[in-house]
Amino acid sequence: MSFITRTWRAATLGMALATLAGSAFAADYTLSVNTALAQQDPLYKGLEEFKKSVEQRTGGKVSVRLFPGSQLGKDEDVLEQARAGAGVAVVVDGGRLAVFTKEFGVLGAPYLAQGYEGIRKVVTSPLFEQWTEKLRKASGHQVLSFNWWQGERHVLTNKPVATPADLGGIRMRTPGAPVWMETIRAMGATPTPMGWSEVYTALQQKVIDGVEAQHPASYGSRLYEVTSHVTKTGHINLITGIVTSAAWFDKLPAEYRQILREESTKAGDNASRATEASLADYEKQMKEQGMTIAEIDVAPFREATKPVYDKLGYTELHQEIEKILQN
């Protein structure tokens, strides 16, 4: 090997090591955010905004890494990593947090609030801040913000649905949290919990007969290929949040903690309003793919799901939330 070749290789190796060192040590803190969302989802665009803003405001001292498609594992697994103090976060619904702090489960209860502005009143209220403190003490989780609205959830099947009776005998995928399970059961279907990544294949193989989901997720997962009807029940107003490790969060300088919470809330608002603006287009695209989208009278579904609050012990909490929504 010539002297010139050896010198060139040494220089190249040195540059590579310098690059690796720079990428490894430029940030003092790294937060890895896991989400089941696809990259084209409006909420994922919000996560990209969150990443950019945090890194800019901290001068690169806090690095945010995004993992779409649940690349880091199931939400429950990432929540456990966060409990152990890892620098991870997950975009998660209240139902999965209810195992640690019961109050969060009510966010997934049927017909709790209308649209984003309605549910936003709840998750930015003093009452909600009490829940976040309770969660910290109960499980060691820190909520950065909880204003990430994914839309109202509707029923996707291969047959028309107009009333709860039409869902009799339908095995319907839903997350495994009690509030979701009881809601779907009250609507007339048989709740079947499974991971979101398994839904397409389960529908294709007829392991399940239907699924309930919001438009961006339905379209992003190409469910129009394995279902033919969307019934707009709007039974759950899906609000989610970015939840991380309290132990990891508490190690940050106070300034960085404030930046994470501020930018998470700001990006959540922007992403939620983008979701709102995108819904009509999602419907148009699903219709173009051959799906039937039905507007129905949801009154029978509202009536059928009213007992869910009593059954799960949310009666008084529901009344408190009603007062917040009326202001």
Side-chain angles (χ1 to χ4, degrees), residues 253-287:
E255 178 189 2
Y256 294 172
R257 295 199 297 269
Q258 183 176 348
I259 287 171
L260 279 171
R261 294 209 70 184
E262 287 177 354
E263 294 304 328
S264 176
T265 301
K266 181 181 174 184
D269 275 338
N270 291 339
S272 298
R273 288 174 181 134
T275 296
E276 232 173 4
S278 73
L279 296 179
D281 191 54
Y282 278 118
E283 287 194 9
K284 178 176 178 289
Q285 292 182 71
M286 286 191 283
K287 285 179 182 176

Side-chain angles (χ1 to χ4, degrees), residues 18-224:
T19 301
L20 286 171
S23 63
F25 298 109
D28 293 343
Y29 307 94
T30 299
L31 181 65
S32 297
V33 183
N34 191 62
T35 175
L37 298 169
Q39 286 175 278
Q40 67 268 32
D41 193 294
L43 249 64
Y44 189 82
K45 303 301 180 187
L47 291 174
E48 291 177 327
E49 176 192 331
F50 169 65
K51 167 184 169 66
K52 181 179 179 181
S53 299
V54 167
E55 292 177 351
Q56 282 182 344
R57 285 187 65 187
T58 62
K61 295 300 182 182
V62 178
S63 172
V64 178
R65 302 173 66 202
L66 304 179
F67 294 87
S70 300
Q71 292 175 26
L72 297 184
K74 295 191 299 184
D75 291 351
E76 291 84 355
D77 295 341
V78 181
L79 285 172
E80 283 304 310
Q81 293 172 38
R83 289 190 81 186
V88 295
V90 60
V91 179
V92 69
D93 63 88
R96 289 182 174 87
L97 299 177
V99 295
F100 310 113
T101 299
K102 182 179 177 180
E103 288 87 341
F104 279 89
V106 79
L107 295 174
Y111 302 103
L112 181 70
Q114 280 195 310
Y116 177 55
E117 294 304 330
I119 198 70
R120 190 186 189 280
K121 284 185 178 181
V122 180
V123 297
T124 57
S125 68
L127 177 65
F128 184 81
E129 277 301 309
Q130 292 175 21
W131 304 353
T132 64
E133 284 304 309
K134 193 171 178 181
L135 182 70
R136 277 180 64 93
K137 294 173 183 175
S139 66
H141 289 115
Q142 171 68 48
V143 173
L144 297 183
S145 68
F146 222 89
N147 61 324
W148 294 72
W149 187 71
Q150 297 190 31
E152 293 177 336
R153 290 172 79 89
H154 306 300
V155 169
L156 289 84
T157 57
N158 280 304
K159 71 169 193 173
V161 171
T163 67
D166 296 327
L167 291 177
I170 295 286
R171 294 162 298 178
M172 182 162 292
R173 181 271 172 183
T174 191
V179 68
W180 298 70
M181 300 274 284
E182 289 302 329
T183 296
I184 298 309
R185 189 174 285 116
M187 288 172 65
T190 301
T192 307
M194 67 172 61
W196 181 253
S197 61
E198 303 169 47
V199 169
Y200 184 99
T201 303
L203 284 164
Q204 195 174 42
Q205 297 177 352
K206 303 192 186 307
V207 174
I208 54 176
D209 309 300
V211 59
E212 46 91 34
Q214 64 281 6
H215 286 344
S218 300
Y219 187 81
S221 294
R222 304 173 69 90
L223 296 188
Y224 51 79

